[in-house]
Structure formats: structure tokens, C-alpha cells
Amino acid sequence: MLKKLRRKLFAEIELSDDGAFHQDGLVYTRSECEKALDSLEDQTNLKHHAYLLHNKPLLAFLNNGDTSIFQAPQLESAYLDNAFQEFVGPFFAPRFDKALLEAFKMDVADSTIGSSRTTLENVLKLSVLIAPSYESIAYRSLMTELQARIDQLEELSAELKEEESSYDEDNVYELVELTTGLIPVHSLNKLPIIFQSLRNKFASQANSIQHAAFNSFYVPQVSHDILEYVLNLNIDSAGKPIFVKNYNFFKAKYNEQIQLDKYKDVIHKWASYVKELNELIGKVNNKFVKPNNVILNLQLDELNGLDSFADEIRDTVAKRVRELSVAVWNSYKDHRKSMQLLQVACSISTTKPVRDQLVEDQNQLAKLRSQSVEVTGTPIESAPNLHLINGCGTTLYDSTLYFVIFGIPILPIARYNYESFGNQYRFYGKLKLRTFQVVWRYLFFALVAYLVINAIW
């Protein structure tokens, strides 16, 4: 039968105009026909040819790529035969490769909620016909397409890290749409295990993008939305805990951001107040504003009445009031105003670390005040009277004002912090008498009292 068929077929080829055999719109050369006929000499191949002759949809797909076989594919036992898979592999793999890529693109484009996405699934059902030796051919085009998408994500990540992208604080939210558009989760999850490494790469690049975006723009919503979307991807167990951990972190940050947006006007108000404090501190440091002109206008009850979201605001305001107190002390050594400002700072409901710092500052200021009094003295309203008649009267010896008789210091009256310029004096403050001077005063008055009483007696 084969010999008769061969003679008849070659006769038709000889009589044809182009020296080829035509069937079902396809053209076969003489060598192709000889090769096909030779394969029939093998009984196994003959069985496969017989099966294909009766499986019209599969035969049409192998011959000309007719995709009607995917409309309602039925998996037959012959599809699981390794010998049959190897037999049809050279023809099935390239046809399947093209059909799979087209089905994937259609599935990605069909993103309508609740729509029926059966095309890709139906194509994948026939992947059982792919022999292991032909997998690289059958999945080549789709893998190339997916790798191109991964390369786009990698390029975007590099641009963000190097701050060379076109994104800024205003359009950074577009990153979510771009990233999720390049990662069609619902379609990727349908692909077989051979695509698992690519799924992991998609997740890794998405994580890299959200991380770079957060470092550049500090917008937790972008990171939250990207990670929330990517977690729907079938990631292998080794990498998923990292993405879950990152997602939980940015979810908390995103919730905080929602709360901050809720109180945006309040935050703006107190941010402006802190700015005013900073300007006032600068003026005091440069001695453009004197202590008596330092006015806070702080709405203390309102600030303390804010919810816990304002803890950082209260701490910041208290720290700035403290800095203002330090500026007043450094520029003017005005203990009263500095302490008053510190007391205002302590009246703010700050967190414990800030409160402890303010209390410590109060104690430190009190010590500085004590040390300052020892060195500069207490303020005086007028200079002491310095007057001598015939060597008797009051005059200064070193820092002490004495009552003298014939130039001999008899009684220490007071001590002063002053500077002398010839016969001119500039007094800065009144100092405490030294201990021996105080003792001498008591002894002097006691002696005078004794002499007066004795004289009267």
C-alpha cells in the first residue's frame, strides 16, 4: 500500500506545475513527502499518523496553526504518551509557542472584573502535549515577553535609585499604575511551574521599585499599594516572608499618613508656629530682640488638647521654646526670662524624654544663676557713694567698699563687681561679703556696743 501510494504521489508531483504536492491549502516538496512516507515504515509512527488522521482539530493545529482546538479542548489518553509527545513535538511546540503568547496578551488585556478568561487556560490545558525536550521552544516567546517586562521594571528601579527618573512628589503615584501594569498578576498566576522564577523576579523588581520610591519621596501609600498588589502573585515560600514583612511595615506607615492627612490643617498651623519660633530664636541670638520683647503667643490649652498624633508637634514646640530660653540666657544672662520660658516649655504635655530634659535644664539654669550671682553680683539701682573728708568717709579697697578713718579701713560695708577708669567707675552688681568680713562686722558692732554701754554705765 505504501509503495502504491508513493508511486501515485510522486506521479502527481511530476505532473504538477511547481513540482510540489498541494493539500488543504498547504504545499509540500518532494523531499518532505519522502520524509513523511519513510516515517510510515515505523509501526509506532504509523500508529501516531493513524491517530492524527482521526483527530481533525489537532491535525489542523499542527498543519496550519488553526486554534479551534482550544475552544473546548479534550484531553485524550494519547496526549500523555511520551512517544506521541516526541512525535508531534517538532510541529506542536512552535505552534503552541505562538498560540500561548497571543492567549496571554488577550488575557492581560481582558481585565474586566468578573469576565470569563478561558482562552489562556484552555491553551495551557494542552501543555500536556509538550515533551520536556521541547519546553524551551514551546515557552520561548512568552518567556521573552515576560523578561522584557522585567527589564523595564529593573530599568525603572535603577532610575529611581540614581534619581534620574521623571517622577517627583506630584506624580509619584503614577508609579503604582505603571508597575502593576507591567505585572499582570491574574495572568501570571495561571502559568505553569516553569514560569516560577519569572514570577519571583517580578516580585523582586516591584519590591525594589517601591523601596527606591520611598527613599526618594517618602510616600508610604505608593509602597503599600505596590506591595499589596504584588502579594497576590504566586511567590515561592522562600521569598514571600520578606514581602509580607515589608508590606506590614508600609501598611503601618500608610495608616499613619492617613491620620496625618486627616489633621493636615492642624499640622500646618503648628508648623508655622515653629517657624516663627525659629525666627525669634535667631533674632535673640543676634540681639535684635531684647528679653522684655520676647512674646510667645502660645495657645497652650489648644496644643495640649490635641490627640496623640500631635505628640511630635508638642515635643517640637517645647524644644523650640527651650532653645529660645537658652538664647535669652546666652545673649542677655536674663535669668528671670529664661526660667519663665523654661516653665512654659514644661507646661506642654511632652513625652517623657523631652520632659526629663526640660527638668534637667531648669536645674542647670538655677546652677548657672547661682554661679552668675557669685561672679557678677545682683543688679543694683544706683552706684554707691564714694566720699572722703580728711581721710574719713567711704572708699573702695579692691572689691570692698569700706568706711575709713584717716585712710584706715575700719568697717566693710559691701562688695561690688566693677571696673575703674581712672577716677571713673562702672558698677555691674553687688557681691556678697566674704566670711571674714561678715565676722569682722559683727565683732566691730559688738565692740562699739560694749564701749557705749560701758561708757553709759
Side-chain angles (χ1 to χ4, degrees):
M1 289 177 61
L2 287 175
K3 288 179 181 179
K4 291 181 181 179
L5 177 60
R6 187 188 295 269
R7 287 196 299 269
K8 181 180 178 181
L9 181 61
F10 288 165
E12 290 183 15
I13 292 174
E14 292 293 337
L15 295 175
S16 66
D17 295 333
D18 56 357
F21 176 65
H22 297 258
Q23 181 173 323
D24 298 333
L26 300 176
V27 180
Y28 301 95
T29 63
R30 180 186 178 96
S31 62
E32 290 175 333
C33 293
E34 286 180 346
K35 184 177 179 181
L37 289 170
D38 289 342
S39 70
L40 294 178
E41 299 291 343
D42 187 327
Q43 289 296 317
T44 301
N45 290 343
L46 184 61
K47 180 180 67 173
H48 298 330
H49 279 291
Y51 173 77
L52 284 176
L53 188 62
H54 294 89
N55 192 332
K56 300 297 183 182
L58 179 57
L59 185 59
F61 178 68
L62 297 178
N63 277 335
N64 52 35
D66 186 345
T67 59
S68 59
I69 188 175
F70 299 119
Q71 298 303 317
Q74 293 182 353
L75 302 182
E76 301 188 20
S77 58
Y79 294 174
L80 303 178
D81 185 350
N82 293 335
F84 183 71
Q85 293 172 1
E86 291 289 341
F87 174 72
V88 298
F91 311 97
F92 182 79
R95 298 290 191 189
F96 182 87
D97 177 53
K98 181 180 179 180
L100 179 62
L101 178 60
E102 292 178 355
F104 181 83
K105 290 180 177 179
M106 289 177 59
D107 198 74
V108 170
D110 182 17
S111 57
T112 306
I113 297 176
S115 64
S116 175
R117 302 188 187 96
T118 57
T119 304
L120 178 59
E121 294 170 341
N122 287 345
V123 170
L124 289 172
K125 283 183 180 179
L126 288 184
S127 63
V128 296
L129 267 170
I130 302 173
S133 57
Y134 291 98
E135 283 183 344
S136 60
I137 298 175
Y139 297 121
R140 179 186 299 159
S141 296
L142 181 53
M143 284 189 169
T144 302
E145 164 72 16
L146 297 181
Q147 186 59 52
R149 289 171 176 258
I150 292 172
D151 292 342
Q152 284 183 262
L153 293 171
E154 186 175 5
E155 182 179 355
L156 176 59
S157 175
E159 290 177 354
L160 288 170
K161 290 177 181 178
E162 297 170 4
E163 298 183 354
E164 296 178 352
S165 71
S166 59
Y167 293 94
D168 53 31
E169 289 81 357
D170 296 327
N171 63 0
V172 65
Y173 294 96
E174 296 177 8
L175 270 176
V176 178
E177 182 178 357
L178 176 60
T179 304
T180 56
L182 289 171
I183 308 176
V185 169
H186 70 275
S187 300
L188 288 171
N189 285 342
K190 296 176 183 178
L191 301 179
I193 191 66
I194 194 174
F195 290 91
Q196 186 59 51
S197 63
L198 291 177
R199 279 193 287 263
N200 294 339
K201 288 182 179 180
F202 273 113
S204 178
Q205 290 303 323
N207 185 59
S208 180
I209 288 174
Q210 67 80 17
H211 192 268
F214 184 77
N215 287 341
S216 298
F217 309 110
Y218 196 81
V219 181
Q221 182 181 351
V222 172
S223 297
H224 169 272
D225 292 350
I226 290 177
L227 288 172
E228 185 177 53
Y229 178 80
V230 170
L231 280 175
N232 293 316
L233 194 62
N234 290 338
I235 310 168
D236 62 22
S237 58
K240 192 165 185 176
I242 297 175
F243 301 112
V244 172
K245 179 181 178 181
N246 290 345
Y247 171 71
N248 290 333
F249 172 79
F250 286 109
K251 183 178 181 180
K253 288 288 184 183
Y254 179 40
N255 290 335
E256 290 177 7
Q257 186 65 48
I258 292 174
Q259 292 298 318
L260 291 178
D261 291 341
K262 186 177 175 182
Y263 299 106
K264 183 167 58 177
D265 294 338
V266 175
I267 294 172
H268 177 72
K269 173 183 177 179
W270 289 103
S272 299
Y273 182 75
V274 169
K275 182 179 179 181
E276 293 176 5
L277 285 177
N278 289 335
E279 294 174 354
L280 183 57
I281 292 169
K283 292 178 180 179
V284 173
N285 282 329
N286 293 313
K287 295 188 176 181
F288 294 151
V289 175
K290 294 183 178 180
N292 291 337
N293 295 326
V294 174
I295 302 174
L296 289 180
N297 294 324
L298 174 61
Q299 298 175 358
L300 189 59
D301 292 339
E302 178 183 338
L303 179 60
N304 287 338
L306 297 176
D307 293 338
S308 59
F309 81 93
D311 286 345
E312 187 174 351
I313 295 176
R314 284 187 282 265
D315 284 353
T316 301
V317 172
K319 289 177 182 178
R320 295 299 179 272
V321 174
R322 171 193 175 275
E323 290 178 16
L324 182 58
S325 171
V326 172
V328 169
W329 175 259
N330 290 339
S331 298
Y332 298 101
K333 294 297 184 291
D334 190 326
H335 175 269
R336 182 188 62 81
K337 191 64 177 183
S338 295
M339 186 60 76
Q340 181 186 30
L341 291 171
L342 274 180
Q343 289 172 348
V344 172
C346 289
S347 299
I348 300 174
S349 300
T350 57
T351 57
K352 188 177 185 303
V354 176
R355 189 182 309 112
D356 293 343
Q357 180 64 50
L358 292 173
V359 172
E360 182 180 345
D361 289 339
Q362 281 185 313
N363 296 334
Q364 186 66 26
L365 183 58
K367 291 180 181 178
L368 289 174
R369 168 63 174 168
S370 177
Q371 294 171 1
S372 176
V373 169
E374 290 293 330
V375 176
T376 63
T378 57
I380 58 176
E381 296 181 359
S382 60
N385 184 25
L386 302 178
H387 187 65
L388 291 174
I389 299 177
N390 297 325
C392 298
T394 57
T395 189
L396 289 166
Y397 284 97
D398 193 14
S399 61
T400 306
L401 176 66
Y402 281 96
F403 174 75
V404 300
I405 299 177
F406 303 122
I408 301 173
I410 302 299
L411 179 66
I413 300 173
R415 290 179 64 240
Y416 292 94
N417 177 24
Y418 70 95
E419 288 181 314
S420 63
F421 308 92
N423 293 326
Q424 300 290 327
Y425 296 91
R426 177 179 294 172
F427 289 88
Y428 296 107
K430 189 175 183 180
L431 304 172
K432 292 181 179 180
L433 287 172
R434 292 189 172 90
T435 304
F436 76 89
Q437 292 173 329
V438 174
V439 172
W440 168 246
R441 285 179 62 175
Y442 283 117
L443 291 175
F444 178 80
F445 286 122
L447 178 60
V448 171
Y450 171 77
L451 293 176
V452 170
I453 293 172
N454 189 55
I456 294 173
W457 181 259

